[in-house]
Amino acid sequence: STDLTSTVGYDSIIQHLNDGRKNCKEFEDFLKERAIIEEKYGKELINLSKKKPCGQTELNTLKRSLDVFKQQIDNVGQGHIQLAQTLREEAKKMEDFREKQKLHRKKIELIMEAIHKNRNLQYKKTMEVKQTCCCFLPCGGAAVPLVMHHLHFPCLSCFWQLFLKLAQTKSALEDTDRSYQQSVTTMEKIREEWQNEHIKACEFFETQECERINYFRNALWLHVNQLSLGCVQNDEKYEEIRKSLEMCSIEKDIDFFVNLRKTGSLAPAPVVYENYYNAQRNVTPARSPAPVPISR
């Protein structure tokens, strides 16, 4: 497992997770757009097979092949419409997964924001107390005897006033120092709590990112499989057309047409010349030759 807690900052992790969620949304939109295309293509194929004439006057075996052809094209169109519905379902699954991760992340982020804010406030407070402490004499109460030893006082009241002031300063310094120590102790506790929560958050985010990558990869794999399956199913439909064409017989279709349209087995008799100008020459008209049977 990658140790994100020591190698990547919290802000960088959040930005990376936001980018990952954006990538999932882009793939989700891609599936939706592909579904629109597949549905439109499927409907166009169905309309084409039903409304566009395609060899409608053909006869016998070729007509049956054309009927199979148009039916299978209709089936291909239905298959694309079904694929469109499947893609929409996959897009919805991706959306649900993305929203579920977002909700889980939000809980951790709220905890981290609260403890981070508390840490910053305590740090600011500690620095203010430290700054106040630094304003006092560096030696604290130890400076009082030294100052008293080197000063000469014109009167006793002046001595006691200065002594009281130094005592108050020493007491204030001790109070400030205790406050500073307490603030540092509190700061350390908050820092330890923040660090522990930070590690937990990073471990959670790492697990969530692994799940996202795995889900995204599997979703993409499934999408490609669905497209391949659609091609296989379409080829099976086209194979039915090929099988029907193999059953198409040129001889049978020709015989079928002849039997359907035939008017007889003999050719029409030839037209005989008759002389209407010279009646003597037209006494014995030439005999018409016998009809010749028609052979194909």
Side-chain angles (χ1 to χ4, degrees):
S1 176
T2 306
D3 186 7
L4 295 178
T5 61
S6 62
T7 58
V8 183
Y10 180 77
D11 292 340
S12 297
I13 294 174
I14 295 300
Q15 181 60 47
H16 179 72
L17 294 176
N18 289 335
D19 290 342
R21 189 170 71 244
K22 179 182 176 182
N23 293 336
C24 289
K25 182 63 168 61
E26 290 175 350
F27 181 65
E28 174 190 327
D29 293 339
F30 180 90
L31 292 179
K32 291 178 180 178
E33 290 294 327
R34 179 65 186 264
I36 294 174
I37 295 172
E38 292 290 342
E39 184 176 44
K40 182 178 179 181
Y41 180 58
K43 289 181 178 179
E44 290 292 338
L45 283 179
I46 293 173
N47 290 334
L48 179 65
S49 66
K50 290 182 177 180
K51 297 181 179 180
K52 187 68 176 178
C54 183
Q56 60 182 347
T57 61
E58 285 294 343
L59 303 173
N60 207 34
T61 61
L62 185 55
K63 175 177 173 56
R64 290 196 290 269
S65 295
L66 285 169
D67 291 340
V68 172
F69 168 73
K70 297 191 70 175
Q71 181 59 50
Q72 294 303 328
I73 293 299
D74 184 277
N75 292 340
V76 171
Q78 296 290 350
H80 282 282
I81 292 177
Q82 181 59 44
L83 176 58
Q85 180 60 30
T86 301
L87 295 180
R88 290 191 179 93
E89 292 173 358
E90 293 302 318
K92 185 63 171 62
K93 291 179 182 179
M94 176 63 76
E95 180 183 5
D96 293 341
F97 173 80
R98 184 169 51 82
E99 290 300 319
K100 182 180 71 174
Q101 280 209 330
K102 179 181 178 181
L103 291 176
H104 290 172
R105 270 186 54 194
K106 193 63 178 178
K107 297 177 183 178
I108 302 299
E109 289 177 4
L110 289 176
I111 294 175
M112 289 301 299
E113 288 175 2
I115 197 170
H116 187 70
K117 181 179 180 180
N118 188 28
R119 172 178 173 268
N120 289 343
L121 290 175
Q122 185 61 36
Y123 177 81
K124 181 179 180 181
K125 179 180 178 181
T126 301
M127 292 300 102
E128 290 175 351
V129 176
K130 180 180 179 180
Q131 185 66 28
T132 303
C133 188
C134 291
C135 293
F136 288 95
L137 293 174
C139 297
V144 175
L146 183 62
V147 173
M148 298 294 291
H149 178 74
H150 289 87
L151 291 178
H152 299 281
F153 302 98
C155 62
L156 186 61
S157 62
C158 295
F159 168 79
W160 285 112
Q161 288 177 2
L162 180 59
F163 182 83
L164 180 61
K165 185 175 181 179
L166 289 174
Q168 292 174 346
T169 302
K170 178 184 177 182
S171 177
L173 176 60
E174 292 174 348
D175 292 341
T176 303
D177 185 64
R178 282 193 300 270
S179 178
Y180 176 48
Q181 291 181 17
Q182 292 175 357
S183 183
V184 170
T185 301
T186 303
M187 178 66 193
E188 179 60 19
K189 291 180 179 180
I190 293 176
R191 189 197 66 80
E192 290 179 355
E193 182 183 3
W194 171 83
Q195 180 173 294
N196 292 334
E197 292 296 330
H198 182 79
I199 293 173
K200 292 179 183 178
C202 290
E203 290 174 346
F204 172 81
F205 292 149
E206 179 181 1
T207 301
Q208 195 177 59
E209 180 64 2
C210 290
E211 292 176 354
R212 186 194 68 82
I213 294 175
N214 182 63
Y215 188 88
F216 199 163
R217 172 185 176 275
N218 292 341
L220 188 57
W221 193 296
L222 177 61
H223 175 59
V224 174
N225 285 346
Q226 289 168 343
L227 299 182
S228 296
L229 179 61
C231 292
V232 172
Q233 292 174 341
N234 287 344
D235 190 64
E236 291 175 352
K237 297 179 179 70
Y238 298 144
E239 181 63 22
E240 293 298 319
I241 300 174
R242 289 189 285 267
K243 290 179 180 179
S244 175
L245 290 172
E246 288 176 353
M247 301 300 294
C248 179
S249 171
I250 299 175
E251 292 78 8
K252 289 181 179 180
D253 285 3
I254 295 297
D255 289 340
F256 181 83
F257 170 75
V258 170
N259 292 328
L260 180 66
R261 302 297 183 184
K262 68 181 180 180
T263 57
S265 60
L266 300 176
V271 178
V272 178
Y273 170 75
E274 296 182 30
N275 190 340
Y276 294 96
Y277 173 72
N278 188 347
Q280 296 298 323
R281 297 181 59 184
N282 197 32
V283 174
T284 57
R287 178 177 297 179
S288 299
V292 180
I294 299 176
S295 61
R296 290 192 295 111

